[in-house]
Amino acid sequence: MGLILHRFLVMELEMELPTLLGCGSVFLRMDRRMNSDVKPLQFVLKRGTAPARDTASLATEKLALMNIAATLENCMTFPKSSPTLENLCPLFQTICTELSSYMLWPANCWFFVSLIQEHLFERFHGYFEIGELKWGKLALDIRSHVSEKVRLDFDIPSPPTLPGLLQSLTVLLQSTHPKHFATAMVSGTL
């Protein structure tokens, strides 16, 4: 078991139309980690700061995206209006752009998850079926700056430019709605 707990998001997406992945539920995992090219000594010498590696992973089985040691921290649903993946891209894009560095403290995986949850909760009237919003007061100065930028950018329709899988997912899953939104905390290492 690792010494450092890693936090990530898992969204259950409900498919409205048949796609290459079939019908039914698909699961999307969002992660923030330190770029793996950075050596531990470099990380220490740069005062716990390194380029961030934000990723999105997709699977038809939730367990394929979760470590055996993962524990459910909270579960949010959207009873009033479910966001589409297309709605979420500006949120993810702004957060990843504004927080391009991974910092041991405060712009880490915990902050990343908390910030995304906070905006989904506010914007789409999320309801916590299990647990509550965690770490909402973490790094208030950075959170305020990024949150203001998110609020300005959220309604601007723009083509997604997130690196990796999320960019291609938007085309594939444009009519997909998150059915459930859950965060899990797992043990692992940086």
Side-chain angles (χ1 to χ4, degrees), residues 86-123:
E86 188 175 24
N87 297 139
L88 299 177
C89 283
L91 170 66
F92 296 148
Q93 182 176 335
T94 301
I95 290 171
C96 293
T97 301
E98 292 296 313
L99 295 173
S100 61
S101 292
Y102 177 95
M103 296 175 219
L104 185 57
W105 190 260
N108 55 26
C109 58
W110 295 57
F111 182 74
F112 181 73
V113 167
S114 174
L115 194 58
I116 291 171
Q117 271 197 318
E118 177 184 320
H119 285 281
L120 289 174
F121 181 79
E122 290 174 4
R123 178 71 180 198

PDB file of all heavy atoms in Angstrom, residues 86-123:
ATOM      1  N   GLU A  86     -20.088  17.555 -24.020  1.00  0.00           N
ATOM      2  CA  GLU A  86     -19.784  18.810 -24.723  1.00  0.00           C
ATOM      3  C   GLU A  86     -19.829  20.002 -23.758  1.00  0.00           C
ATOM      4  O   GLU A  86     -19.014  20.912 -23.854  1.00  0.00           O
ATOM      5  CB  GLU A  86     -20.778  19.003 -25.868  1.00  0.00           C
ATOM      6  CG  GLU A  86     -20.455  20.161 -26.773  1.00  0.00           C
ATOM      7  CD  GLU A  86     -21.404  20.234 -27.940  1.00  0.00           C
ATOM      8  OE1 GLU A  86     -22.545  19.726 -27.849  1.00  0.00           O
ATOM      9  OE2 GLU A  86     -21.015  20.824 -28.961  1.00  0.00           O
ATOM     10  N   ASN A  87     -20.762  19.993 -22.793  1.00  0.00           N
ATOM     11  CA  ASN A  87     -20.827  21.041 -21.774  1.00  0.00           C
ATOM     12  C   ASN A  87     -19.603  21.022 -20.870  1.00  0.00           C
ATOM     13  O   ASN A  87     -19.159  22.060 -20.384  1.00  0.00           O
ATOM     14  CB  ASN A  87     -22.037  20.872 -20.846  1.00  0.00           C
ATOM     15  CG  ASN A  87     -23.371  20.987 -21.528  1.00  0.00           C
ATOM     16  OD1 ASN A  87     -24.277  20.216 -21.223  1.00  0.00           O
ATOM     17  ND2 ASN A  87     -23.521  21.919 -22.452  1.00  0.00           N
ATOM     18  N   LEU A  88     -19.079  19.828 -20.611  1.00  0.00           N
ATOM     19  CA  LEU A  88     -17.991  19.674 -19.662  1.00  0.00           C
ATOM     20  C   LEU A  88     -16.631  20.059 -20.235  1.00  0.00           C
ATOM     21  O   LEU A  88     -15.725  20.413 -19.476  1.00  0.00           O
ATOM     22  CB  LEU A  88     -17.932  18.231 -19.162  1.00  0.00           C
ATOM     23  CG  LEU A  88     -19.180  17.734 -18.438  1.00  0.00           C
ATOM     24  CD1 LEU A  88     -19.021  16.279 -18.061  1.00  0.00           C
ATOM     25  CD2 LEU A  88     -19.479  18.577 -17.223  1.00  0.00           C
ATOM     26  N   CYS A  89     -16.483  20.002 -21.550  1.00  0.00           N
ATOM     27  CA  CYS A  89     -15.166  20.279 -22.152  1.00  0.00           C
ATOM     28  C   CYS A  89     -14.605  21.652 -21.789  1.00  0.00           C
ATOM     29  O   CYS A  89     -13.434  21.751 -21.443  1.00  0.00           O
ATOM     30  CB  CYS A  89     -15.215  20.078 -23.657  1.00  0.00           C
ATOM     31  SG  CYS A  89     -15.175  18.325 -24.067  1.00  0.00           S
ATOM     32  N   PRO A  90     -15.398  22.746 -21.853  1.00  0.00           N
ATOM     33  CA  PRO A  90     -14.824  24.041 -21.441  1.00  0.00           C
ATOM     34  C   PRO A  90     -14.362  24.045 -19.985  1.00  0.00           C
ATOM     35  O   PRO A  90     -13.349  24.656 -19.659  1.00  0.00           O
ATOM     36  CB  PRO A  90     -15.968  25.032 -21.659  1.00  0.00           C
ATOM     37  CG  PRO A  90     -16.859  24.387 -22.644  1.00  0.00           C
ATOM     38  CD  PRO A  90     -16.753  22.907 -22.382  1.00  0.00           C
ATOM     39  N   LEU A  91     -15.086  23.355 -19.116  1.00  0.00           N
ATOM     40  CA  LEU A  91     -14.687  23.257 -17.707  1.00  0.00           C
ATOM     41  C   LEU A  91     -13.342  22.550 -17.591  1.00  0.00           C
ATOM     42  O   LEU A  91     -12.403  23.081 -16.990  1.00  0.00           O
ATOM     43  CB  LEU A  91     -15.754  22.494 -16.913  1.00  0.00           C
ATOM     44  CG  LEU A  91     -15.383  22.089 -15.487  1.00  0.00           C
ATOM     45  CD1 LEU A  91     -15.199  23.315 -14.613  1.00  0.00           C
ATOM     46  CD2 LEU A  91     -16.451  21.173 -14.923  1.00  0.00           C
ATOM     47  N   PHE A  92     -13.229  21.369 -18.176  1.00  0.00           N
ATOM     48  CA  PHE A  92     -11.979  20.615 -18.116  1.00  0.00           C
ATOM     49  C   PHE A  92     -10.843  21.380 -18.780  1.00  0.00           C
ATOM     50  O   PHE A  92      -9.739  21.437 -18.263  1.00  0.00           O
ATOM     51  CB  PHE A  92     -12.123  19.250 -18.781  1.00  0.00           C
ATOM     52  CG  PHE A  92     -13.096  18.331 -18.099  1.00  0.00           C
ATOM     53  CD1 PHE A  92     -13.825  17.418 -18.835  1.00  0.00           C
ATOM     54  CD2 PHE A  92     -13.295  18.363 -16.725  1.00  0.00           C
ATOM     55  CE1 PHE A  92     -14.726  16.562 -18.220  1.00  0.00           C
ATOM     56  CE2 PHE A  92     -14.184  17.518 -16.105  1.00  0.00           C
ATOM     57  CZ  PHE A  92     -14.906  16.611 -16.862  1.00  0.00           C
ATOM     58  N   GLN A  93     -11.141  21.980 -19.924  1.00  0.00           N
ATOM     59  CA  GLN A  93     -10.111  22.707 -20.672  1.00  0.00           C
ATOM     60  C   GLN A  93      -9.568  23.880 -19.862  1.00  0.00           C
ATOM     61  O   GLN A  93      -8.358  24.081 -19.780  1.00  0.00           O
ATOM     62  CB  GLN A  93     -10.683  23.204 -21.990  1.00  0.00           C
ATOM     63  CG  GLN A  93      -9.678  23.935 -22.849  1.00  0.00           C
ATOM     64  CD  GLN A  93     -10.275  24.319 -24.189  1.00  0.00           C
ATOM     65  OE1 GLN A  93     -11.198  23.698 -24.666  1.00  0.00           O
ATOM     66  NE2 GLN A  93      -9.743  25.353 -24.785  1.00  0.00           N
ATOM     67  N   THR A  94     -10.438  24.653 -19.255  1.00  0.00           N
ATOM     68  CA  THR A  94     -10.005  25.813 -18.477  1.00  0.00           C
ATOM     69  C   THR A  94      -9.195  25.384 -17.258  1.00  0.00           C
ATOM     70  O   THR A  94      -8.141  25.956 -16.983  1.00  0.00           O
ATOM     71  CB  THR A  94     -11.220  26.659 -18.042  1.00  0.00           C
ATOM     72  OG1 THR A  94     -11.907  27.086 -19.221  1.00  0.00           O
ATOM     73  CG2 THR A  94     -10.798  27.868 -17.233  1.00  0.00           C
ATOM     74  N   ILE A  95      -9.672  24.390 -16.539  1.00  0.00           N
ATOM     75  CA  ILE A  95      -8.949  23.933 -15.353  1.00  0.00           C
ATOM     76  C   ILE A  95      -7.564  23.405 -15.737  1.00  0.00           C
ATOM     77  O   ILE A  95      -6.571  23.763 -15.119  1.00  0.00           O
ATOM     78  CB  ILE A  95      -9.763  22.875 -14.581  1.00  0.00           C
ATOM     79  CG1 ILE A  95     -10.977  23.542 -13.921  1.00  0.00           C
ATOM     80  CG2 ILE A  95      -8.906  22.182 -13.529  1.00  0.00           C
ATOM     81  CD1 ILE A  95     -11.971  22.586 -13.302  1.00  0.00           C
ATOM     82  N   CYS A  96      -7.497  22.603 -16.770  1.00  0.00           N
ATOM     83  CA  CYS A  96      -6.202  22.040 -17.186  1.00  0.00           C
ATOM     84  C   CYS A  96      -5.261  23.110 -17.714  1.00  0.00           C
ATOM     85  O   CYS A  96      -4.052  23.044 -17.488  1.00  0.00           O
ATOM     86  CB  CYS A  96      -6.413  20.955 -18.240  1.00  0.00           C
ATOM     87  SG  CYS A  96      -7.251  19.499 -17.601  1.00  0.00           S
ATOM     88  N   THR A  97      -5.795  24.118 -18.381  1.00  0.00           N
ATOM     89  CA  THR A  97      -4.966  25.197 -18.909  1.00  0.00           C
ATOM     90  C   THR A  97      -4.474  26.109 -17.794  1.00  0.00           C
ATOM     91  O   THR A  97      -3.303  26.466 -17.736  1.00  0.00           O
ATOM     92  CB  THR A  97      -5.750  26.029 -19.947  1.00  0.00           C
ATOM     93  OG1 THR A  97      -6.168  25.157 -21.002  1.00  0.00           O
ATOM     94  CG2 THR A  97      -4.913  27.143 -20.526  1.00  0.00           C
ATOM     95  N   GLU A  98      -5.368  26.496 -16.908  1.00  0.00           N
ATOM     96  CA  GLU A  98      -5.011  27.408 -15.823  1.00  0.00           C
ATOM     97  C   GLU A  98      -4.116  26.755 -14.776  1.00  0.00           C
ATOM     98  O   GLU A  98      -3.360  27.435 -14.099  1.00  0.00           O
ATOM     99  CB  GLU A  98      -6.271  27.965 -15.147  1.00  0.00           C
ATOM    100  CG  GLU A  98      -7.075  28.901 -16.019  1.00  0.00           C
ATOM    101  CD  GLU A  98      -6.312  30.167 -16.382  1.00  0.00           C
ATOM    102  OE1 GLU A  98      -5.706  30.796 -15.489  1.00  0.00           O
ATOM    103  OE2 GLU A  98      -6.316  30.524 -17.575  1.00  0.00           O
ATOM    104  N   LEU A  99      -4.228  25.450 -14.625  1.00  0.00           N
ATOM    105  CA  LEU A  99      -3.415  24.716 -13.657  1.00  0.00           C
ATOM    106  C   LEU A  99      -2.476  23.773 -14.409  1.00  0.00           C
ATOM    107  O   LEU A  99      -2.569  22.555 -14.277  1.00  0.00           O
ATOM    108  CB  LEU A  99      -4.307  23.906 -12.715  1.00  0.00           C
ATOM    109  CG  LEU A  99      -5.211  24.698 -11.799  1.00  0.00           C
ATOM    110  CD1 LEU A  99      -6.158  23.781 -11.055  1.00  0.00           C
ATOM    111  CD2 LEU A  99      -4.388  25.514 -10.826  1.00  0.00           C
ATOM    112  N   SER A 100      -1.591  24.330 -15.199  1.00  0.00           N
ATOM    113  CA  SER A 100      -0.713  23.493 -16.030  1.00  0.00           C
ATOM    114  C   SER A 100       0.390  22.822 -15.219  1.00  0.00           C
ATOM    115  O   SER A 100       1.038  21.897 -15.704  1.00  0.00           O
ATOM    116  CB  SER A 100      -0.102  24.315 -17.160  1.00  0.00           C
ATOM    117  OG  SER A 100       0.672  25.372 -16.631  1.00  0.00           O
ATOM    118  N   SER A 101       0.597  23.250 -13.994  1.00  0.00           N
ATOM    119  CA  SER A 101       1.619  22.641 -13.141  1.00  0.00           C
ATOM    120  C   SER A 101       0.972  21.792 -12.058  1.00  0.00           C
ATOM    121  O   SER A 101      -0.052  22.151 -11.497  1.00  0.00           O
ATOM    122  CB  SER A 101       2.466  23.716 -12.458  1.00  0.00           C
ATOM    123  OG  SER A 101       3.239  24.401 -13.397  1.00  0.00           O
ATOM    124  N   TYR A 102       1.606  20.658 -11.806  1.00  0.00           N
ATOM    125  CA  TYR A 102       1.234  19.828 -10.679  1.00  0.00           C
ATOM    126  C   TYR A 102       2.090  20.295  -9.514  1.00  0.00           C
ATOM    127  O   TYR A 102       3.303  20.431  -9.648  1.00  0.00           O
ATOM    128  CB  TYR A 102       1.528  18.354 -10.974  1.00  0.00           C
ATOM    129  CG  TYR A 102       1.224  17.445  -9.813  1.00  0.00           C
ATOM    130  CD1 TYR A 102       0.003  16.797  -9.728  1.00  0.00           C
ATOM    131  CD2 TYR A 102       2.146  17.244  -8.794  1.00  0.00           C
ATOM    132  CE1 TYR A 102      -0.289  15.973  -8.659  1.00  0.00           C
ATOM    133  CE2 TYR A 102       1.865  16.423  -7.715  1.00  0.00           C
ATOM    134  CZ  TYR A 102       0.641  15.786  -7.653  1.00  0.00           C
ATOM    135  OH  TYR A 102       0.346  14.977  -6.590  1.00  0.00           O
ATOM    136  N   MET A 103       1.461  20.573  -8.392  1.00  0.00           N
ATOM    137  CA  MET A 103       2.201  20.981  -7.202  1.00  0.00           C
ATOM    138  C   MET A 103       1.862  20.018  -6.083  1.00  0.00           C
ATOM    139  O   MET A 103       0.693  19.667  -5.918  1.00  0.00           O
ATOM    140  CB  MET A 103       1.808  22.395  -6.785  1.00  0.00           C
ATOM    141  CG  MET A 103       2.152  23.459  -7.777  1.00  0.00           C
ATOM    142  SD  MET A 103       1.499  25.049  -7.208  1.00  0.00           S
ATOM    143  CE  MET A 103       0.952  25.726  -8.750  1.00  0.00           C
ATOM    144  N   LEU A 104       2.880  19.602  -5.368  1.00  0.00           N
ATOM    145  CA  LEU A 104       2.622  18.714  -4.240  1.00  0.00           C
ATOM    146  C   LEU A 104       1.564  19.352  -3.347  1.00  0.00           C
ATOM    147  O   LEU A 104       0.676  18.688  -2.838  1.00  0.00           O
ATOM    148  CB  LEU A 104       3.916  18.452  -3.468  1.00  0.00           C
ATOM    149  CG  LEU A 104       3.820  17.456  -2.335  1.00  0.00           C
ATOM    150  CD1 LEU A 104       3.312  16.108  -2.838  1.00  0.00           C
ATOM    151  CD2 LEU A 104       5.153  17.300  -1.642  1.00  0.00           C
ATOM    152  N   TRP A 105       1.666  20.667  -3.209  1.00  0.00           N
ATOM    153  CA  TRP A 105       0.646  21.429  -2.485  1.00  0.00           C
ATOM    154  C   TRP A 105       0.554  22.795  -3.115  1.00  0.00           C
ATOM    155  O   TRP A 105       1.584  23.424  -3.291  1.00  0.00           O
ATOM    156  CB  TRP A 105       1.023  21.549  -0.997  1.00  0.00           C
ATOM    157  CG  TRP A 105      -0.089  22.107  -0.193  1.00  0.00           C
ATOM    158  CD1 TRP A 105      -0.218  23.398   0.223  1.00  0.00           C
ATOM    159  CD2 TRP A 105      -1.230  21.416   0.278  1.00  0.00           C
ATOM    160  NE1 TRP A 105      -1.370  23.548   0.927  1.00  0.00           N
ATOM    161  CE2 TRP A 105      -2.016  22.343   0.976  1.00  0.00           C
ATOM    162  CE3 TRP A 105      -1.682  20.109   0.172  1.00  0.00           C
ATOM    163  CZ2 TRP A 105      -3.219  21.997   1.562  1.00  0.00           C
ATOM    164  CZ3 TRP A 105      -2.872  19.780   0.766  1.00  0.00           C
ATOM    165  CH2 TRP A 105      -3.611  20.722   1.461  1.00  0.00           C
ATOM    166  N   PRO A 106      -0.547  23.267  -3.565  1.00  0.00           N
ATOM    167  CA  PRO A 106      -1.894  22.770  -3.433  1.00  0.00           C
ATOM    168  C   PRO A 106      -2.495  22.208  -4.728  1.00  0.00           C
ATOM    169  O   PRO A 106      -3.527  21.573  -4.669  1.00  0.00           O
ATOM    170  CB  PRO A 106      -2.657  24.011  -3.029  1.00  0.00           C
ATOM    171  CG  PRO A 106      -1.980  25.105  -3.785  1.00  0.00           C
ATOM    172  CD  PRO A 106      -0.535  24.689  -3.865  1.00  0.00           C
ATOM    173  N   ALA A 107      -1.914  22.458  -5.913  1.00  0.00           N
ATOM    174  CA  ALA A 107      -2.565  22.080  -7.183  1.00  0.00           C
ATOM    175  C   ALA A 107      -2.283  20.617  -7.526  1.00  0.00           C
ATOM    176  O   ALA A 107      -1.699  20.303  -8.546  1.00  0.00           O
ATOM    177  CB  ALA A 107      -2.112  23.008  -8.303  1.00  0.00           C
ATOM    178  N   ASN A 108      -2.763  19.740  -6.660  1.00  0.00           N
ATOM    179  CA  ASN A 108      -2.538  18.315  -6.829  1.00  0.00           C
ATOM    180  C   ASN A 108      -3.831  17.619  -7.262  1.00  0.00           C
ATOM    181  O   ASN A 108      -4.810  18.269  -7.614  1.00  0.00           O
ATOM    182  CB  ASN A 108      -1.988  17.721  -5.531  1.00  0.00           C
ATOM    183  CG  ASN A 108      -2.883  18.030  -4.350  1.00  0.00           C
ATOM    184  OD1 ASN A 108      -4.077  18.245  -4.491  1.00  0.00           O
ATOM    185  ND2 ASN A 108      -2.310  18.060  -3.161  1.00  0.00           N
ATOM    186  N   CYS A 109      -3.842  16.303  -7.229  1.00  0.00           N
ATOM    187  CA  CYS A 109      -5.019  15.547  -7.648  1.00  0.00           C
ATOM    188  C   CYS A 109      -6.232  15.861  -6.766  1.00  0.00           C
ATOM    189  O   CYS A 109      -7.364  15.908  -7.250  1.00  0.00           O
ATOM    190  CB  CYS A 109      -4.723  14.046  -7.656  1.00  0.00           C
ATOM    191  SG  CYS A 109      -4.177  13.366  -6.068  1.00  0.00           S
ATOM    192  N   TRP A 110      -6.025  16.116  -5.485  1.00  0.00           N
ATOM    193  CA  TRP A 110      -7.130  16.432  -4.572  1.00  0.00           C
ATOM    194  C   TRP A 110      -7.801  17.742  -4.973  1.00  0.00           C
ATOM    195  O   TRP A 110      -9.019  17.849  -5.002  1.00  0.00           O
ATOM    196  CB  TRP A 110      -6.606  16.536  -3.138  1.00  0.00           C
ATOM    197  CG  TRP A 110      -6.084  15.257  -2.587  1.00  0.00           C
ATOM    198  CD1 TRP A 110      -5.084  14.484  -3.119  1.00  0.00           C
ATOM    199  CD2 TRP A 110      -6.536  14.590  -1.429  1.00  0.00           C
ATOM    200  NE1 TRP A 110      -4.887  13.388  -2.338  1.00  0.00           N
ATOM    201  CE2 TRP A 110      -5.757  13.422  -1.291  1.00  0.00           C
ATOM    202  CE3 TRP A 110      -7.501  14.864  -0.478  1.00  0.00           C
ATOM    203  CZ2 TRP A 110      -5.940  12.526  -0.249  1.00  0.00           C
ATOM    204  CZ3 TRP A 110      -7.667  13.978   0.570  1.00  0.00           C
ATOM    205  CH2 TRP A 110      -6.903  12.821   0.672  1.00  0.00           C
ATOM    206  N   PHE A 111      -6.995  18.737  -5.268  1.00  0.00           N
ATOM    207  CA  PHE A 111      -7.502  20.046  -5.677  1.00  0.00           C
ATOM    208  C   PHE A 111      -8.227  19.940  -7.017  1.00  0.00           C
ATOM    209  O   PHE A 111      -9.299  20.504  -7.206  1.00  0.00           O
ATOM    210  CB  PHE A 111      -6.329  21.030  -5.780  1.00  0.00           C
ATOM    211  CG  PHE A 111      -6.731  22.418  -6.146  1.00  0.00           C
ATOM    212  CD1 PHE A 111      -7.343  23.250  -5.237  1.00  0.00           C
ATOM    213  CD2 PHE A 111      -6.474  22.915  -7.418  1.00  0.00           C
ATOM    214  CE1 PHE A 111      -7.709  24.547  -5.565  1.00  0.00           C
ATOM    215  CE2 PHE A 111      -6.839  24.203  -7.759  1.00  0.00           C
ATOM    216  CZ  PHE A 111      -7.458  25.026  -6.828  1.00  0.00           C
ATOM    217  N   PHE A 112      -7.658  19.221  -7.971  1.00  0.00           N
ATOM    218  CA  PHE A 112      -8.221  19.013  -9.304  1.00  0.00           C
ATOM    219  C   PHE A 112      -9.629  18.429  -9.199  1.00  0.00           C
ATOM    220  O   PHE A 112     -10.584  18.949  -9.773  1.00  0.00           O
ATOM    221  CB  PHE A 112      -7.276  18.075 -10.073  1.00  0.00           C
ATOM    222  CG  PHE A 112      -7.668  17.761 -11.480  1.00  0.00           C
ATOM    223  CD1 PHE A 112      -7.549  18.704 -12.478  1.00  0.00           C
ATOM    224  CD2 PHE A 112      -8.094  16.484 -11.813  1.00  0.00           C
ATOM    225  CE1 PHE A 112      -7.876  18.392 -13.790  1.00  0.00           C
ATOM    226  CE2 PHE A 112      -8.416  16.159 -13.119  1.00  0.00           C
ATOM    227  CZ  PHE A 112      -8.306  17.119 -14.112  1.00  0.00           C
ATOM    228  N   VAL A 113      -9.771  17.356  -8.431  1.00  0.00           N
ATOM    229  CA  VAL A 113     -11.063  16.696  -8.250  1.00  0.00           C
ATOM    230  C   VAL A 113     -12.054  17.641  -7.568  1.00  0.00           C
ATOM    231  O   VAL A 113     -13.198  17.788  -8.002  1.00  0.00           O
ATOM    232  CB  VAL A 113     -10.898  15.399  -7.431  1.00  0.00           C
ATOM    233  CG1 VAL A 113     -12.239  14.862  -6.967  1.00  0.00           C
ATOM    234  CG2 VAL A 113     -10.146  14.353  -8.230  1.00  0.00           C
ATOM    235  N   SER A 114     -11.623  18.290  -6.524  1.00  0.00           N
ATOM    236  CA  SER A 114     -12.491  19.185  -5.767  1.00  0.00           C
ATOM    237  C   SER A 114     -13.008  20.335  -6.625  1.00  0.00           C
ATOM    238  O   SER A 114     -14.187  20.695  -6.565  1.00  0.00           O
ATOM    239  CB  SER A 114     -11.715  19.726  -4.564  1.00  0.00           C
ATOM    240  OG  SER A 114     -12.457  20.695  -3.884  1.00  0.00           O
ATOM    241  N   LEU A 115     -12.141  20.906  -7.429  1.00  0.00           N
ATOM    242  CA  LEU A 115     -12.525  22.040  -8.277  1.00  0.00           C
ATOM    243  C   LEU A 115     -13.539  21.619  -9.340  1.00  0.00           C
ATOM    244  O   LEU A 115     -14.530  22.317  -9.573  1.00  0.00           O
ATOM    245  CB  LEU A 115     -11.275  22.637  -8.926  1.00  0.00           C
ATOM    246  CG  LEU A 115     -11.409  23.993  -9.573  1.00  0.00           C
ATOM    247  CD1 LEU A 115     -11.898  25.046  -8.586  1.00  0.00           C
ATOM    248  CD2 LEU A 115     -10.065  24.416 -10.149  1.00  0.00           C
ATOM    249  N   ILE A 116     -13.319  20.486  -9.978  1.00  0.00           N
ATOM    250  CA  ILE A 116     -14.275  19.994 -10.980  1.00  0.00           C
ATOM    251  C   ILE A 116     -15.618  19.710 -10.322  1.00  0.00           C
ATOM    252  O   ILE A 116     -16.668  20.131 -10.812  1.00  0.00           O
ATOM    253  CB  ILE A 116     -13.736  18.737 -11.699  1.00  0.00           C
ATOM    254  CG1 ILE A 116     -12.539  19.113 -12.581  1.00  0.00           C
ATOM    255  CG2 ILE A 116     -14.832  18.092 -12.546  1.00  0.00           C
ATOM    256  CD1 ILE A 116     -11.811  17.936 -13.163  1.00  0.00           C
ATOM    257  N   GLN A 117     -15.590  19.033  -9.181  1.00  0.00           N
ATOM    258  CA  GLN A 117     -16.846  18.732  -8.478  1.00  0.00           C
ATOM    259  C   GLN A 117     -17.593  19.998  -8.082  1.00  0.00           C
ATOM    260  O   GLN A 117     -18.811  20.070  -8.213  1.00  0.00           O
ATOM    261  CB  GLN A 117     -16.576  17.913  -7.227  1.00  0.00           C
ATOM    262  CG  GLN A 117     -16.565  16.454  -7.454  1.00  0.00           C
ATOM    263  CD  GLN A 117     -16.697  15.723  -6.142  1.00  0.00           C
ATOM    264  OE1 GLN A 117     -16.083  16.077  -5.142  1.00  0.00           O
ATOM    265  NE2 GLN A 117     -17.489  14.680  -6.144  1.00  0.00           N
ATOM    266  N   GLU A 118     -16.874  20.971  -7.574  1.00  0.00           N
ATOM    267  CA  GLU A 118     -17.501  22.219  -7.139  1.00  0.00           C
ATOM    268  C   GLU A 118     -18.269  22.872  -8.283  1.00  0.00           C
ATOM    269  O   GLU A 118     -19.410  23.302  -8.110  1.00  0.00           O
ATOM    270  CB  GLU A 118     -16.433  23.173  -6.616  1.00  0.00           C
ATOM    271  CG  GLU A 118     -16.955  24.530  -6.199  1.00  0.00           C
ATOM    272  CD  GLU A 118     -15.832  25.457  -5.777  1.00  0.00           C
ATOM    273  OE1 GLU A 118     -14.880  25.004  -5.107  1.00  0.00           O
ATOM    274  OE2 GLU A 118     -15.916  26.641  -6.135  1.00  0.00           O
ATOM    275  N   HIS A 119     -17.656  22.934  -9.451  1.00  0.00           N
ATOM    276  CA  HIS A 119     -18.316  23.586 -10.584  1.00  0.00           C
ATOM    277  C   HIS A 119     -19.480  22.769 -11.133  1.00  0.00           C
ATOM    278  O   HIS A 119     -20.497  23.335 -11.529  1.00  0.00           O
ATOM    279  CB  HIS A 119     -17.296  23.949 -11.662  1.00  0.00           C
ATOM    280  CG  HIS A 119     -16.480  25.125 -11.259  1.00  0.00           C
ATOM    281  ND1 HIS A 119     -16.946  26.417 -11.350  1.00  0.00           N
ATOM    282  CD2 HIS A 119     -15.257  25.213 -10.692  1.00  0.00           C
ATOM    283  CE1 HIS A 119     -16.042  27.239 -10.879  1.00  0.00           C
ATOM    284  NE2 HIS A 119     -15.006  26.535 -10.472  1.00  0.00           N
ATOM    285  N   LEU A 120     -19.359  21.449 -11.129  1.00  0.00           N
ATOM    286  CA  LEU A 120     -20.484  20.621 -11.559  1.00  0.00           C
ATOM    287  C   LEU A 120     -21.642  20.736 -10.573  1.00  0.00           C
ATOM    288  O   LEU A 120     -22.806  20.795 -10.963  1.00  0.00           O
ATOM    289  CB  LEU A 120     -20.047  19.164 -11.698  1.00  0.00           C
ATOM    290  CG  LEU A 120     -19.127  18.871 -12.864  1.00  0.00           C
ATOM    291  CD1 LEU A 120     -18.645  17.427 -12.797  1.00  0.00           C
ATOM    292  CD2 LEU A 120     -19.801  19.152 -14.186  1.00  0.00           C
ATOM    293  N   PHE A 121     -21.320  20.779  -9.293  1.00  0.00           N
ATOM    294  CA  PHE A 121     -22.338  20.918  -8.258  1.00  0.00           C
ATOM    295  C   PHE A 121     -23.104  22.229  -8.426  1.00  0.00           C
ATOM    296  O   PHE A 121     -24.336  22.259  -8.427  1.00  0.00           O
ATOM    297  CB  PHE A 121     -21.662  20.855  -6.882  1.00  0.00           C
ATOM    298  CG  PHE A 121     -22.611  20.973  -5.727  1.00  0.00           C
ATOM    299  CD1 PHE A 121     -23.351  19.881  -5.319  1.00  0.00           C
ATOM    300  CD2 PHE A 121     -22.750  22.176  -5.041  1.00  0.00           C
ATOM    301  CE1 PHE A 121     -24.227  19.975  -4.242  1.00  0.00           C
ATOM    302  CE2 PHE A 121     -23.624  22.278  -3.972  1.00  0.00           C
ATOM    303  CZ  PHE A 121     -24.362  21.181  -3.570  1.00  0.00           C
ATOM    304  N   GLU A 122     -22.358  23.328  -8.603  1.00  0.00           N
ATOM    305  CA  GLU A 122     -22.988  24.649  -8.743  1.00  0.00           C
ATOM    306  C   GLU A 122     -23.738  24.790 -10.054  1.00  0.00           C
ATOM    307  O   GLU A 122     -24.879  25.229 -10.087  1.00  0.00           O
ATOM    308  CB  GLU A 122     -21.928  25.751  -8.666  1.00  0.00           C
ATOM    309  CG  GLU A 122     -21.325  25.947  -7.306  1.00  0.00           C
ATOM    310  CD  GLU A 122     -20.179  26.946  -7.313  1.00  0.00           C
ATOM    311  OE1 GLU A 122     -19.889  27.557  -8.373  1.00  0.00           O
ATOM    312  OE2 GLU A 122     -19.558  27.120  -6.251  1.00  0.00           O
ATOM    313  N   ARG A 123     -23.095  24.450 -11.137  1.00  0.00           N
ATOM    314  CA  ARG A 123     -23.636  24.710 -12.475  1.00  0.00           C
ATOM    315  C   ARG A 123     -24.808  23.807 -12.833  1.00  0.00           C
ATOM    316  O   ARG A 123     -25.756  24.229 -13.471  1.00  0.00           O
ATOM    317  CB  ARG A 123     -22.497  24.545 -13.490  1.00  0.00           C
ATOM    318  CG  ARG A 123     -22.874  24.733 -14.903  1.00  0.00           C
ATOM    319  CD  ARG A 123     -23.164  26.181 -15.169  1.00  0.00           C
ATOM    320  NE  ARG A 123     -23.535  26.345 -16.558  1.00  0.00           N
ATOM    321  CZ  ARG A 123     -23.526  27.467 -17.179  1.00  0.00           C
ATOM    322  NH1 ARG A 123     -23.173  28.555 -16.567  1.00  0.00           N
ATOM    323  NH2 ARG A 123     -23.880  27.538 -18.427  1.00  0.00           N
TER     324      ARG A 123
END
